[in-house]
Amino acid sequence: MPTYKYKAISKTGEKIEGTYTAKAKEEVLSLIRQNQNMPISVEEVSEGSKEISLNFLTKIKTKDIAIFCRQFYAMLNAGVTIINCLDILRLQTENKKFRKVIGEVHDEVQKGLTFSESMRKHRSTFPDLLINMVQAGEVSGTLDIIMDRMAVHYEKENKINNKVKGAMMYPLILSIVSILVVVFLLTFVMPTFVGMFTGSGVELPLPTRILLAISGGITKYWYILVVFLIVTFYGLKKYIDTDRGQFLIDHIKFRIPIVKGTTQKIVTSRFTRTLSTLLSSGIPLIQALDIVSRVVGNVIVEKGVLNAKEEVKKGIDLATPIKNIGVFPPMVDSMIRIGEESGALDDILDKTANFYDEEVETAIQKMTTLLEPIMIVIMAVVIGAIVIAMVMPMFDMMNTI
C-alpha cells in the first residue's frame, strides 16, 4: 500500500504532521478527521523520493524494549491515551528501525486494531511475552500496571545481558590479540629465518619444519585460507541456527565446568522472573508455561518446560516436572512446591528470581576470574611453542660451529 504524508491542525490549534500507510487518500483524510484534526494537505510519498535506508543493519535490543515499556507506562499513568503514547514514542525513539515499527503500530491502532493485535503483526520486533502481557492488560483494564511490570522485567533482562557481554569482552579481546600475534609471527617474522635455516645445512627439528610449512602455506595461499574461514564460519552459523545445532550448543553450555554454573543461574533467573510476571498479571498457568518456554533462551529447558505443561494438564503439580528437567537448582522446585501449597506461587517465584539475579552477578564474576588466567596460559603456550620452534635450529647451528 502507498504511504501518504499529511499535515493537519489539532483541535487545540497545534500544527501536526506525519505519515500513514493506506489504500487511498480518502482513507487518510477520514482517519485524520476521526482524530478530531483538520487536514491541511495529504500527499503520496513517491518511491523515488524515499531515502536509502540502512534500517536492516539496526538491531532492536532488549534495552529499546525496556525504554519503550517504561516511557509507555509513564504516559499511561499520566492519563495519555494509547494512540498519543504511540505518536509521542514514534517521534522520540532513537532506534530508527524501532521508530518505524512504532509508527506502523500507531497507524494500525488508529485504523481500529487493538494495541496487542497490532503488536502481533510485528512479532519479529515485539517479544511474545510482551504481546501476551499487553493483551492481558487490555482485557483486565490494567495496561499501565502491565507496562510497568514489563519495564522492570526487561530492565533486569538487559542488565543480565550486559553483564554477560561484559564478562566475555576480555576473553574475546585476548583471543583476537593472540590470533593476530600468531599470524604476525608466521607471516612476517618466520620468513626472515627461512634463508638462514635452509643455508645452514643443519637438519631442522620436526617442530620447526611444521612451523615453516604452516608459514609458507599462509604466505602463499592466504586467499584460500580466508575463503575457507569465511565458508566455515557461515556453515557453523547456519548449523547453529538449526534446532539440532542449537540443542548441541545449549547442551555444551551445561557440560563445560566454567560455564555450567553461570548458564544454570541465568536460565533459572529468566524462568522464575518471567513465570512470576505472567502469573501475577492473571495469565493462566498452562498459557504462562507455553510463553515461558519460548523466552527462556535454552532449547533443553524449553523442551522441559513444554513437558511440564503437559504434565500440569494431567493434574500433576508443577514442582515435580520442573524437578525432572534436571537443570534447575533444588531450591527452585522446593520454592514452587511451597508456592503451590500456599497459593502464592507468583510471589514466591518473584522472590526466587530476585535471589538468582544476585547469584547471576556472582557467577559471572567468578567465570570471568577463571577465564582470564586460562586464556593467558593458552596464549603463552601457543606463542611460546612458536618461539621455541624458531629458536631450536639456532642451538643446532651453534653446536655445529
Side-chain angles (χ1 to χ4, degrees):
M1 288 190 295
T3 301
Y4 294 90
K5 185 177 182 181
Y6 72 89
K7 293 181 181 179
I9 297 177
S10 66
K11 59 183 178 180
T12 59
E14 183 183 355
K15 186 177 179 181
I16 57 175
E17 58 180 70
T19 58
Y20 280 131
T21 301
K23 294 179 180 178
K25 182 177 179 179
E26 289 72 20
E27 186 178 341
V28 178
L29 290 169
S30 176
L31 287 169
I32 294 172
R33 293 191 181 102
Q34 284 177 15
N35 293 319
Q36 299 181 350
N37 298 324
M38 181 182 294
I40 299 175
S41 65
V42 177
E43 298 176 355
E44 183 177 350
V45 180
S46 62
E47 293 294 328
S49 65
K50 289 183 179 179
E51 296 179 357
I52 297 175
S53 174
L54 297 178
N55 285 348
F56 66 94
L57 296 176
T58 308
K59 185 179 180 182
I60 298 173
K61 302 177 182 177
T62 306
K63 180 181 177 181
D64 298 318
I65 300 294
I67 293 173
F68 172 81
C69 294
R70 176 61 62 196
Q71 292 178 336
F72 211 105
Y73 160 72
M75 287 185 283
L76 285 177
N77 196 42
V80 183
T81 63
I82 292 177
I83 290 178
N84 287 337
C85 287
L86 291 168
D87 190 34
I88 293 169
L89 286 171
R90 72 172 178 170
L91 295 175
Q92 71 178 33
T93 301
E94 295 181 1
N95 188 309
K96 292 182 179 180
K97 184 176 181 180
F98 197 25
R99 187 191 310 161
K100 183 176 182 293
V101 173
I102 294 173
E104 292 173 359
V105 171
H106 171 266
D107 293 347
E108 289 158 2
V109 171
Q110 282 196 317
K111 293 175 183 178
L113 290 180
T114 65
F115 186 26
S116 59
E117 287 173 343
S118 180
M119 291 174 70
R120 204 174 294 278
K121 293 178 68 175
H122 303 275
R123 295 182 70 172
S124 59
T125 298
F126 296 105
D128 286 340
L129 172 63
L130 179 58
I131 296 171
N132 283 277
M133 292 293 286
V134 168
Q135 185 178 15
E138 289 174 330
V139 173
S140 62
T142 57
L143 185 58
D144 55 340
I145 298 173
I146 292 295
M147 295 307 284
D148 183 37
R149 288 175 181 169
M150 286 291 89
V152 173
H153 175 87
Y154 286 113
E155 283 165 358
K156 289 183 177 180
E157 190 74 14
N158 182 58
K159 185 179 178 181
I160 291 175
N161 291 341
N162 287 338
K163 286 187 176 296
V164 172
K165 291 176 183 177
M168 297 308 298
M169 189 59 65
Y170 180 81
L172 179 63
I173 293 174
L174 197 59
S175 299
I176 293 172
V177 170
S178 301
I179 293 170
L180 292 176
V181 170
V182 170
V183 171
F184 175 76
L185 289 174
L186 292 176
T187 57
F188 292 97
V189 177
M190 194 65 189
T192 60
F193 290 86
V194 172
M196 182 190 306
F197 292 157
T198 54
S200 64
V202 178
E203 184 180 355
L204 299 177
L206 179 61
T208 306
R209 295 200 302 270
I210 295 173
L211 196 63
L212 284 173
I214 295 173
S215 175
I218 293 175
T219 305
K220 293 179 182 179
Y221 307 107
W222 60 270
Y223 50 90
I224 297 177
L225 179 63
V226 170
V227 172
F228 173 77
L229 291 174
I230 292 173
V231 171
T232 303
F233 177 80
Y234 180 78
L236 286 173
K237 187 177 183 303
K238 282 292 184 182
Y239 176 72
I240 291 172
D241 289 339
T242 62
D243 293 339
R244 187 175 179 180
Q246 193 60 56
F247 180 85
L248 178 62
I249 294 297
D250 290 340
H251 181 76
I252 291 173
K253 287 179 182 177
F254 283 118
R255 290 293 178 268
I256 301 176
I258 299 176
V259 182
K260 178 182 177 180
T262 305
T263 303
Q264 184 187 49
K265 289 179 174 61
I266 289 173
V267 169
T268 302
S269 171
R270 189 172 291 158
F271 169 79
T272 52
R273 183 174 60 253
T274 306
L275 188 56
S276 169
T277 304
L278 289 164
L279 293 176
S280 62
S281 301
I283 306 292
L285 179 58
I286 300 298
Q287 185 182 351
L289 289 171
D290 188 54
I291 297 169
V292 170
S293 68
R294 296 196 297 268
V295 302
V296 75
N298 188 285
V299 176
I300 296 174
V301 179
E302 177 184 347
K303 291 183 178 180
V305 173
L306 288 175
N307 289 335
K309 183 187 76 171
E310 297 302 320
E311 293 295 314
V312 171
K313 281 183 178 180
K314 298 174 183 177
I316 300 175
D317 62 305
L318 178 61
T320 302
I322 290 298
K323 180 180 180 180
N324 293 337
I325 295 176
V327 170
F328 298 113
M331 175 182 172
V332 175
D333 58 270
S334 299
M335 294 295 281
I336 290 175
R337 184 168 282 105
I338 293 170
E340 288 180 310
E341 292 173 354
S342 63
L345 182 58
D346 56 342
D347 187 50
I348 293 292
L349 285 170
D350 184 55
K351 289 181 171 62
T352 307
N354 291 333
F355 171 78
Y356 279 103
D357 282 344
E358 296 178 4
E359 287 291 299
V360 166
E361 295 185 21
T362 305
I364 290 174
Q365 186 177 1
K366 182 179 178 181
M367 182 181 70
T368 307
T369 304
L370 290 172
L371 276 176
E372 288 179 7
I374 291 174
M375 294 297 297
I376 291 173
V377 169
I378 293 173
M379 181 178 176
V381 169
V382 173
I383 296 176
I386 293 174
V387 172
I388 290 173
M390 293 168 58
V391 172
M392 285 175 66
M394 296 183 182
F395 286 107
D396 292 341
M397 291 169 60
M398 291 178 63
N399 291 333
T400 304
I401 294 172

